[in-house]
Amino acid sequence: MPGKERAAGDRAGDSPITARALVRSYPNAAGPPLQVLRGLDLEVRSGEAVAIVGASGSGKSTFLHLLGALDRPTSGTVLISGSDVSGLSDEEAAALRTRSIGFVFQFHHLLGDFTALENAMIPAMINSSDRRTARKRASTLLEAVGLGGRFDHKPNQLSGGEQQRVAVARALVNEPPVVLADEPTGDLDTATSREVQDLLFRMRERSGAALVVATHNRELADRADRVLRLREGVLEDVRG
Ligand SMILES: Nc1ncnc2c1ncn2[C@@H]1O[C@H](COP(=O)(O)OP(=O)(O)OP(=O)(O)O)[C@@H](O)[C@H]1O
Ligand SMILES: [Mg+2]
């Protein structure tokens, strides 16, 4: 899936990620519903990297979960590769995630019973039954983030930063057209944080993925094509 072809195929309204008038409120026992997102719009083109910054609690994870079809909006629209996420059943949303979305969670969610290599292979195994290809791609990605010597370690035998790097490899293994990363460098030292950033941006260049990354990391935000701040439920331009 060469990035160039995909970029050339893009037209307005045909972007891999579109959010329109997005609202997400949470019920609140102590008072009126908590309106976290209040009519937010975003369009991300193929090959484009967008950083979302904003105070803790401003709604960055909430927003990424909506883009990743992990949660449904109170109102408004999310289109991923042309599919309207709110109209999908749970099974259809799961299929869309496997096919089109790589998600790096803020708290990595690896499967405890599987090794690092197996965790990184899982999305590729679901997408195709070709175990050898899945294994090869997952190994290459794990090596790229410095985990060549940790293939057979289970998550509880890995440090927090190592688990996060496995989670990044897992998100990229299918070369999805949409990559969503929630604070991917959160608990990493500077050198490892750079390796993870390099991997995300290399993937964006190679496969033409649309990348949205929520982060407090200034260096990571500076590498994005656009930086937006989530404040009072909407996105403001910081740079772009
Ligand atoms: N399931 C939920 N039910 C009720 N309120 C929630 C729920 N999930 C999140 N919130 C509230 O929504 C707000 C936004 O949370 P969110 O996790 O999206 O923030 P964030 O910008 O990702 O913060 P951080 O930078 O700390 O990761 C917070 O005030 C949080 O308390
Ligand atoms: Mg968050």
Side-chain angles (χ1 to χ4, degrees):
M1 43 174 136
K4 257 195 198 148
E5 274 169 34
R6 204 186 262 144
D10 269 356
R11 294 180 302 280
D14 193 22
S15 299
I17 303 173
T18 304
R20 289 196 199 115
L22 206 58
V23 173
R24 180 66 166 101
S25 318
Y26 292 113
N28 176 15
L34 188 65
Q35 273 222 342
V36 178
L37 306 180
R38 305 181 182 189
L40 175 162
D41 295 293
L42 177 69
E43 185 149 345
V44 187
R45 297 185 305 276
S46 293
E48 190 182 22
V50 173
I52 310 285
V53 300
S56 177
S58 59
K60 302 180 299 295
S61 295
T62 300
F63 180 41
L64 254 60
H65 289 180
L66 291 174
L67 294 182
L70 293 158
D71 182 25
R72 302 300 154 91
T74 306
S75 65
T77 311
V78 173
L79 299 171
I80 295 296
S81 303
S83 297
D84 185 343
V85 169
S86 21
L88 301 179
S89 67
D90 287 350
E91 291 74 24
E92 288 167 335
L96 174 72
R97 286 198 299 274
T98 309
R99 196 172 56 242
S100 301
I101 303 171
F103 202 106
V104 182
F105 290 90
Q106 186 165 10
F107 306 102
H108 26 74
H109 297 307
L110 296 177
L111 298 177
D113 290 339
F114 293 89
T115 67
L117 183 63
E118 286 163 347
N119 265 286
M121 285 167 64
I122 286 167
M125 293 293 294
I126 295 172
N127 244 16
S128 91
S129 53
D130 183 356
R131 195 181 165 86
R132 264 187 53 195
T133 308
R135 197 185 160 83
K136 189 155 170 269
R137 285 206 214 144
S139 330
T140 306
L141 284 165
L142 288 179
E143 271 159 17
V145 286
L147 291 179
R150 297 287 185 280
F151 283 5
D152 296 325
H153 285 229
K154 298 218 168 130
N156 66 2
Q157 300 166 329
L158 296 168
S159 74
E162 288 171 345
Q163 291 177 46
Q164 184 63 325
R165 285 182 272 164
V166 174
V168 172
R170 177 182 61 183
L172 300 181
V173 74
N174 280 337
E175 298 200 359
V178 170
V179 177
L180 307 170
D182 195 357
E183 203 62 74
T185 57
D187 49 8
L188 303 179
D189 61 79
T190 312
T192 312
S193 165
R194 287 215 180 104
E195 282 174 18
V196 165
Q197 292 176 36
D198 289 346
L199 189 63
L200 283 170
F201 283 89
R202 268 207 312 274
M203 176 60 72
R204 184 270 300 250
E205 267 156 39
R206 216 176 73 184
S207 71
L211 172 63
V212 178
V213 48
T215 188
H216 291 286
N217 180 334
R218 177 71 196 272
E219 186 186 85
L220 173 54
D222 283 346
R223 292 179 70 163
D225 303 309
R226 272 194 288 159
V227 183
L228 302 167
R229 173 170 292 113
L230 189 44
R231 204 162 79 96
E232 296 183 359
V234 294
L235 290 171
E236 304 172 335
D237 284 332
V238 177
R239 174 176 67 70

